Amino acid sequence: MTRFSYPLGGMTRRAAVALSLAALGGSVLRPQPSMQGASAGMGPDAPALKDWPTLDALAQAMIDTRLTPGLSLSVMHKGVMLYSKGFGQSDIDSAISITPQTSLRIASITKQFTAVAILLLAEQGQLNVHDPLSKFLPDFPRAAEVSLHQLMSHTSGMGDYINRQDHSILDAARTRDYSTDDILKLIRAGKPLYRFAPGMGWAYSNSGFTLLSSIVERLSGQSFADFCCKHLFERAGMANTTIDQNCEVTNAVTRGYTPTRGGFLPNLPVSPTFLRGAGAIRSTTEDLCRWHAALLNHQIIKPYSLEAMMTPALLKNGKPAWERQGHEPLNYGFGVGLGVTEDSRRYCTHGGR
């Protein structure tokens, strides 16, 4: 699992700290980062990285308790990388050490990039976030009832073609690639296609974000991978971030593992052509810090777009669309979870599995 989390404060103010953590295997990671400021922080004139024994101990504990064979951990403050280290191995068989430049699948952290791509197209006048899905995919069932806003905030009521998929299809997706039409057929075949009426509740839906990435392709005339590279990754200075065009490339670069009592078993990732805008990106912890520095410093989208992204979604009845309630309640914006700490600090978070 890969996870990030960071305080927001005011949208136009610089946040305090930036942290990004990625791991191989099925561990659950809960760092508390924050990103804002200049985009790089790793040039020749950047301050030397700091020693941080408590973070060393946190990371090493994950290795020692066999939560994961390897992880990387990076911390950024006002656009300057303060701490960045790798721990353990990225490939057990070859004993390859993991570093902060090791490229790992970030899974559902991809969703915020998809949301930002939609917001960029909105800034260009090519769409409005309140447009119905039918404007772009007129043949999709009940498309006139679903808005892009609802797809980006998991309030469309749509099911999930990944988490609710037959395991035989997921296993096949590890070693084959899919066209856009293939994925649309899988999404439409979901039973049920809608879990509830659009706008009437909150339910995590990979289907919605894959549909959004298809809209990006239709309007831009580019593949989703090429659009993200040109308009998102390059702008943020993310030199080690990509969306692979086929499963062979991904499987040759990034290995995955599942922890067992006896060690770790190889866990071949699902093809990026299957995951698309829901979870296809491969990145590094340092690049994720650069991304959030650029995003929150308005180098990717304009302030009003960022504000919309970081505003909790509401249901049709005007009530908050809770991702979860209880001890640590969490709302949802566009591709990101939104919460408030006990001392009233706003923060933003998302995991990837």
Side-chain angles (χ1 to χ4, degrees):
M1 173 177 283
T2 314
R3 190 174 186 89
F4 77 88
S5 173
Y6 53 93
L8 289 173
M11 285 298 107
T12 60
R13 291 164 46 198
R14 292 175 182 264
V17 179
L19 182 150
S20 181
L21 190 152
L24 301 169
S27 55
V28 177
L29 311 175
R30 295 183 58 82
Q32 300 225 334
S34 142
M35 301 101 180
Q36 182 126 242
S39 62
M42 289 294 287
D45 298 326
L49 295 176
K50 299 181 181 297
D51 290 328
W52 203 324
T54 53
L55 290 187
D56 290 347
L58 168 69
Q60 192 59 48
M62 294 180 185
I63 303 295
D64 294 342
T65 56
R66 307 190 72 79
L67 289 176
T68 176
L71 67 131
S72 62
L73 177 60
S74 300
V75 182
M76 179 176 277
H77 174 76
K78 293 184 178 180
V80 177
M81 201 75 70
L82 297 183
Y83 174 98
S84 197
K85 284 187 180 182
F87 300 83
Q89 298 175 338
S90 63
D91 188 315
I92 295 175
D93 293 337
S94 302
I96 299 174
S97 296
I98 202 167
T99 76
Q101 294 81 42
T102 299
S103 181
L104 303 172
R105 295 284 288 276
I106 67 171
S108 285
I109 294 177
T110 298
K111 290 180 171 64
Q112 66 190 271
F113 291 84
T114 305
V116 170
I118 291 290
L119 291 170
L120 269 178
L121 292 174
E123 291 179 1
Q124 296 169 5
Q126 297 197 57
L127 57 80
N128 185 294
V129 297
H130 296 291
D131 283 340
L133 178 60
S134 57
K135 183 175 180 178
F136 313 99
L137 297 172
D139 296 331
F140 196 87
R142 300 178 67 176
E145 303 174 45
V146 180
S147 70
L148 304 187
H149 186 290
Q150 291 168 341
L151 293 176
M152 288 192 289
S153 59
H154 294 308
T155 58
S156 69
M158 200 172 292
D160 191 324
Y161 80 104
I162 296 176
N163 289 330
R164 292 180 169 231
Q165 194 56 265
D166 184 275
H167 279 288
S168 63
I169 294 177
L170 292 177
D171 286 339
R174 300 174 191 270
T175 55
R176 62 157 288 194
D177 292 309
Y178 295 77
S179 68
T180 298
D181 287 343
D182 291 337
I183 298 300
L184 288 176
K185 288 178 182 178
L186 282 174
I187 293 175
R188 292 172 65 116
K191 297 184 186 301
L193 179 55
Y194 289 90
R195 299 170 63 182
F196 48 79
M200 300 304 290
W202 189 93
Y204 198 85
S205 174
N206 284 296
S207 301
F209 276 84
T210 291
L211 293 177
L212 289 167
S213 61
S214 295
I215 292 171
V216 172
E217 292 182 330
R218 289 177 182 234
L219 293 183
S220 70
Q222 298 176 286
S223 69
F224 184 64
D226 289 342
F227 183 93
C228 288
C229 180
K230 180 178 179 179
H231 298 283
L232 306 184
F233 306 156
E234 289 183 6
R235 286 193 192 184
M238 303 170 73
N240 294 312
T241 299
T242 190
I243 297 176
D244 295 319
Q245 304 282 8
N246 58 68
C247 60
E248 291 184 6
V249 173
T250 302
N251 295 341
V253 173
T254 304
R255 301 210 56 178
Y257 297 93
T258 298
T260 66
R261 289 186 177 181
F264 296 96
L265 293 176
N267 187 353
L268 198 63
V270 174
S271 169
T273 64
F274 184 85
L275 299 174
R276 299 179 175 252
I281 293 177
R282 177 162 56 81
S283 188
T284 70
T285 53
E286 291 183 346
D287 269 6
L288 288 177
C289 284
R290 295 184 181 99
W291 162 250
H292 291 112
L295 177 66
L296 296 182
N297 206 36
H298 311 133
Q299 295 172 359
I300 310 296
I301 51 177
K302 296 177 180 178
Y304 67 84
S305 296
L306 181 63
E307 184 68 33
M309 181 180 182
M310 301 299 177
T311 297
L314 300 177
L315 302 178
K316 283 187 174 180
N317 61 11
K319 294 183 179 180
W322 294 105
E323 178 177 354
R324 66 169 185 254
Q325 291 182 275
H327 180 64
E328 294 182 348
L330 202 64
N331 291 117
Y332 207 87
F334 293 161
V336 287
L338 303 169
V340 180
T341 64
E342 292 182 355
D343 58 351
S344 300
R345 291 175 180 263
R346 297 171 61 203
Y347 69 92
C348 182
T349 184
H350 212 289
R353 178 172 57 86

